[in-house]
Amino acid sequence: MYTPKTAPMRYLLLLTATWLGIFTLTRAALLFTHLDEAGHAYLSIFTIGVLNDLAFLVYAALPLTLFVLLCPRRLWVSRFNRWLLQGVLAVSIYAMLFTAVAEWLFWDEFGVRFNFIAVDYLVYSDEVLNNILESYPIGALLGGLGVLTLVICVLLRKPLLRALHAPFPTFRQRAAQAAGVAVLVLLSMQFLDQNSLRSQGGNTYQRELASNGPYQFFAAFRNNELDYQQFYGTLPEAATAEQIHAELNQPGVTFLGKEPMDIRRTVSNPGTPRTPNIVLVTIESLSGKYLGSNGDPRNLTPNLDALRKQSLYFNNFYATGTRTDRGLEAITLSMPPTPGRSIVKRIGRESGFASLGQHLSEVGYDSVFVYGGRGYFDNMNAFFSGNGYRVVDQTSVDESDISFKNAWGMSDEDLYRQAVKLADADHANQVPFFLQLMTTSNHRPYTYPDGKIDIKSGNGRDGAVKYTDYAIGQFLAEARKKPWFDNTLFIFVADHTAGSAGKEDLPVQNYQIPLFIYGPKLIEAREEGKLASQIDLAPTLLGLLNMSYTSTFFGRNLLLEDNLPPRVLIGNYQHLGLFDGQDLAILSPRGGLRLHQQALGESHEIASDADNPLIKRAIAYYESASYGFKQRLLDWVPENHTPQTASTP
């Protein structure tokens, strides 16, 4: 017969109550440091939060419950087992305290509980561990957690001893207790699903604060991809096809696809084709708000501010996501951010696409992806080598050529020096080059070579931004001395902004980034205010080359005059959005359809349905992109070959 007075249940309750206390204190600390963002929904945050914590705890209790069920009395009362259980309590407390600190630091960086990013960081542990060691006083943190764990264990010593010396239950009692825990697990699975609890109203901060970090971490392992048809709103196939074709029907376009949702088409750009050299620099975390020309008074970007006056500059340009792999996906494949992982990281399905590099290689370019770090991070090497590029990363560079490096890679100056070497070699061989660079310096721990700028290395993002700008100035100064400079287009664009957190699931203003296209002998300098997306960069670049090609891109040529309605596509791993310059349509799992009116202002959210014109446009992009990926309609097909359509699984 079940009784809470037995030793195993007392121990289990002591253990889980301690964890629950740590979870509650973590939530309280996060809440009271973000009161303005979270509003006054304290009761709902803690009520839903406790339910989420309990849902995690019943799962966590299963291993100990199974041990108790099978443990004979002689083993339970042994000195070894009592020391073991005291050790389990101490280790688990330390682990929960460590998790609390990790959640605090993760929230400070991303404004959310653990998610896909945390899982990715665990996978790429070398970079992340070095980053942590360089960014935080890790020894002091771990030592402090050890002291705090010892204090808690001392405070719990008496209740622990009472629990261990309580009567040991019979097998029938243990079986009943195990059955009770199993029932709680089933009830939790049925009624305390954390995704449904997270959807119970409130802004993003409120939902994230009410979540349980460890649960979200483990859930991210199994939710790294979401099937669009299963989880998101859809339209009839004919309606989706008609809408997406209308979105992409610019002058010079002829659709070729035999399937309704196939967007493969010929793009005929006017003018004589040309093959200037191209250097496309994707800059880590460069928010437009840091530019002095956008009103920042700190003079962090003097070189970019000067470059803006000499470039075709897009001042209404948006990233598709909040991570580097999303930016690379959008720039390289011209694709919206489909739910789950980016295509860059979908191991086994990351190659074979009709990429920007493939198109340029087809007409004789040497397409090279040049990364300041180690390209296995975020699966970059596999993605780029499988999509028409050769790869040069930190491991390809002699140590003698690296003047400075940190956890994420070599300094931007070293990266640009490698780019100049590659450009010199291709120019000597009379081969046009396409160098697609990815920088690393504007990333925590924000370290860079000493003596370059007037902000000390490792002193925050302001210094990293200023060093990033300094390195660009040095690179262009060196490039101007080269015989290939006059015939080279330089493109500078951010992968994403420096901060993506906000009260909304998709805070539009936190996706805005700069785009510079610079070539004083090739393109007229001017400012362009058209609403534009990272997915528009590839077709715009090919338009600048007057290049006709077969396209699977979801982007548009921004330099063409057309009557198409404006839009940018933004998202995270779960929510998918389309912003038209005024309102934002959001598609969420479980068929959620919402509209944010005046998304850059008060951002009033209302429920919507698939009949709303903006929702229809969003569905058309994301449904056709997910379908095209699944059915391999976006694959690279050399000229004079017919694409093969995958059968429906």
Side-chain angles (χ1 to χ4, degrees):
M1 185 176 187
Y2 171 76
T3 171
K5 296 182 180 180
T6 59
M9 288 306 297
R10 282 193 175 190
Y11 178 81
L12 185 59
L13 288 173
L14 178 65
L15 184 66
T16 54
T18 304
W19 287 9
L20 182 61
I22 294 172
F23 291 154
T24 302
L25 289 173
T26 302
R27 180 173 295 109
L30 290 173
L31 171 62
F32 292 121
T33 53
H34 296 82
L35 288 176
D36 291 340
E37 297 93 337
H40 301 287
Y42 310 138
L43 181 60
S44 64
I45 288 173
F46 280 100
T47 301
I48 297 174
V50 168
L51 291 175
N52 280 324
D53 294 342
L54 291 174
F56 172 78
L57 289 173
V58 295
Y59 292 120
L62 275 176
L64 184 60
T65 302
L66 182 61
F67 170 73
V68 170
L69 177 65
L70 301 177
C71 181
R73 183 180 184 281
R74 178 177 298 179
L75 175 59
W76 180 267
V77 299
S78 68
R79 179 176 297 179
F80 167 78
N81 185 61
R82 289 178 176 175
W83 279 107
L84 175 64
L85 293 176
Q86 291 181 62
V88 167
L89 178 65
V91 170
S92 68
I93 291 173
Y94 188 89
M96 288 299 105
L97 291 173
F98 179 86
T99 301
V101 172
E103 282 204 80
W104 178 276
L105 298 178
F106 190 81
W107 185 287
D108 182 59
E109 182 80 8
F110 298 104
V112 294
R113 296 279 197 163
F114 291 144
N115 58 17
F116 278 173
I117 301 173
V119 175
D120 292 342
Y121 275 14
L122 182 65
V123 172
Y124 300 107
S125 56
D126 186 45
E127 279 86 353
V128 176
L129 180 59
N130 288 332
N131 180 36
I132 291 171
L133 290 173
E134 294 173 12
S135 301
Y136 305 104
I138 193 67
L141 282 174
L142 295 179
L145 293 179
V147 172
L148 184 55
T149 299
L150 181 61
V151 170
I152 295 174
C153 286
V154 170
L155 294 175
L156 294 178
R157 178 168 176 76
K158 287 185 178 180
L160 174 62
L161 292 176
R162 285 197 297 268
L164 294 177
H165 289 90
F168 187 73
T170 64
F171 182 79
R172 173 182 284 185
Q173 290 173 320
R174 283 178 280 152
Q177 292 165 357
V181 173
V183 169
L184 289 175
V185 169
L186 293 174
L187 290 173
S188 176
M189 294 173 63
Q190 184 67 29
F191 299 110
L192 292 181
D193 177 71
Q194 302 218 2
N195 288 326
S196 62
L197 285 171
R198 281 163 59 86
S199 66
Q200 300 299 309
N203 64 38
T204 301
Y205 281 103
Q206 292 165 2
R207 291 193 290 272
E208 291 293 336
L209 286 167
S211 298
N212 178 276
Y215 183 99
Q216 295 301 117
F217 180 82
F218 288 110
F221 275 106
R222 58 184 177 85
N223 292 328
N224 56 9
E225 292 185 27
L226 296 173
D227 181 79
Y228 185 91
Q229 293 286 334
Q230 180 180 356
F231 289 101
Y232 291 84
T234 61
L235 294 170
E237 185 177 277
T240 298
E242 180 182 5
Q243 184 68 53
I244 194 62
H245 283 207
E247 294 283 334
L248 302 176
N249 194 20
Q250 288 191 290
V253 163
T254 302
F255 286 94
L256 304 172
K258 296 180 180 179
E259 288 198 24
M261 284 199 288
D262 191 350
I263 66 164
R264 193 176 298 268
R265 61 204 185 276
T266 58
V267 176
S268 299
N269 283 309
T272 303
R274 53 180 180 167
T275 55
N277 305 305
I278 303 163
V279 179
L280 194 169
V281 182
T282 311
I283 305 170
E284 174 68 47
S285 305
L286 184 66
S287 301
K289 66 182 181 182
Y290 289 108
L291 298 183
S293 56
N294 282 338
D296 190 291
R298 294 170 292 178
N299 194 33
L300 299 178
T301 59
N303 292 293
L304 288 174
D305 294 334
L307 186 66
R308 179 171 180 169
K309 299 175 183 178
Q310 305 164 31
S311 303
L312 171 59
Y313 179 79
F314 291 83
N315 60 26
N316 203 10
F317 192 77
Y318 289 80
T320 61
T322 60
R323 294 212 62 210
T324 297
D325 54 299
R326 280 299 187 193
L328 294 176
E329 170 190 71
I331 292 168
T332 307
L333 302 182
S334 184
M335 273 195 68
T338 51
R341 289 183 184 273
S342 71
I343 288 174
V344 175
K345 299 171 68 172
R346 295 189 186 182
I347 297 173
R349 283 296 315 276
E350 74 274 53
S351 61
F353 293 94
S355 70
L356 178 58
Q358 287 280 26
H359 283 295
L360 292 174
S361 295
E362 181 85 354
V363 295
Y365 278 84
D366 179 26
S367 297
V368 191
F369 175 66
V370 192
Y371 179 45
R374 290 168 288 273
Y376 72 85
F377 183 78
D378 272 353
N379 204 37
M380 293 184 201
N381 282 353
F383 173 75
F384 281 97
S385 63
N387 287 295
Y389 297 78
R390 64 186 178 96
V391 175
V392 174
D393 69 352
Q394 181 182 334
T395 63
S396 312
V397 179
D398 290 338
E399 285 294 323
S400 59
D401 289 334
I402 300 176
S403 63
F404 179 90
K405 62 182 178 180
N406 62 19
W408 292 104
M410 55 185 165
S411 69
D412 286 0
E413 287 176 277
D414 291 325
L415 175 67
Y416 291 133
R417 278 192 283 269
Q418 293 306 311
V420 169
K421 287 184 179 181
L422 293 167
D424 286 343
D426 276 339
H427 179 74
N429 292 325
Q430 298 184 326
V431 176
F433 53 81
F434 169 46
L435 306 180
Q436 186 167 337
L437 280 60
M438 181 68 229
T439 73
T440 61
S441 290
N442 189 26
H443 193 296
R444 193 182 295 274
Y446 311 128
T447 54
Y448 41 82
D450 291 328
K452 304 295 184 177
I453 60 172
D454 58 1
I455 301 177
K456 187 177 180 181
S457 172
N459 210 30
R461 190 179 290 277
D462 287 0
V465 170
K466 192 162 190 176
Y467 172 73
T468 293
D469 177 83
Y470 167 84
I472 290 171
Q474 295 296 110
F475 170 52
L476 290 176
E478 180 65 23
R480 291 186 184 104
K481 303 174 185 177
K482 298 295 182 178
W484 42 262
F485 174 78
D486 285 345
N487 192 39
T488 302
L489 282 172
F490 296 86
I491 302 170
F492 296 92
V493 64
D495 58 348
H496 56 82
T497 60
S500 58
K503 292 184 179 180
E504 292 82 26
D505 290 312
L506 300 175
V508 177
Q509 67 276 8
N510 290 349
Y511 286 76
Q512 190 167 8
I513 58 174
L515 168 62
F516 305 77
I517 302 180
Y518 171 65
K521 297 296 179 66
L522 300 172
I523 188 170
E524 179 185 356
R526 63 184 176 88
E527 195 111 343
E528 174 60 64
K530 181 183 292 186
L531 188 66
S533 168
Q534 276 178 325
I535 69 172
D536 299 323
L537 179 51
T540 300
L541 174 58
L542 297 183
L544 280 170
L545 306 184
N546 303 324
M547 179 176 164
S548 296
Y549 60 102
T550 300
S551 176
T552 58
F553 293 161
F554 285 82
R556 304 167 175 172
N557 182 349
L558 298 173
L559 303 180
L560 288 180
E561 293 294 331
D562 58 46
N563 296 317
L564 298 180
R567 58 88 190 101
V568 293
L569 289 306
I570 62 175
N572 54 33
Y573 72 95
Q574 188 176 38
H575 303 289
L576 312 171
L578 184 146
F579 175 59
D580 68 355
Q582 179 173 322
D583 299 331
L584 171 69
I586 298 181
L587 314 180
S588 298
R590 301 175 182 265
L593 305 174
R594 292 172 289 156
L595 199 66
H596 280 255
Q597 298 173 323
Q598 300 297 325
L600 288 178
E602 295 182 0
S603 193
H604 176 61
E605 179 179 301
I606 60 173
S608 190
D609 56 41
D611 291 329
N612 180 278
L614 198 62
I615 294 288
K616 281 184 178 179
R617 295 180 65 195
I619 291 175
Y621 272 101
Y622 291 109
E623 184 176 9
S624 57
S626 297
Y627 183 87
F629 169 79
K630 189 174 182 179
Q631 299 299 322
R632 306 198 75 97
L633 301 178
L634 310 176
D635 285 6
W636 169 249
V637 179
E639 293 298 322
N640 303 318
H641 286 71
T642 303
Q644 298 295 315
T645 300
S647 58
T648 302

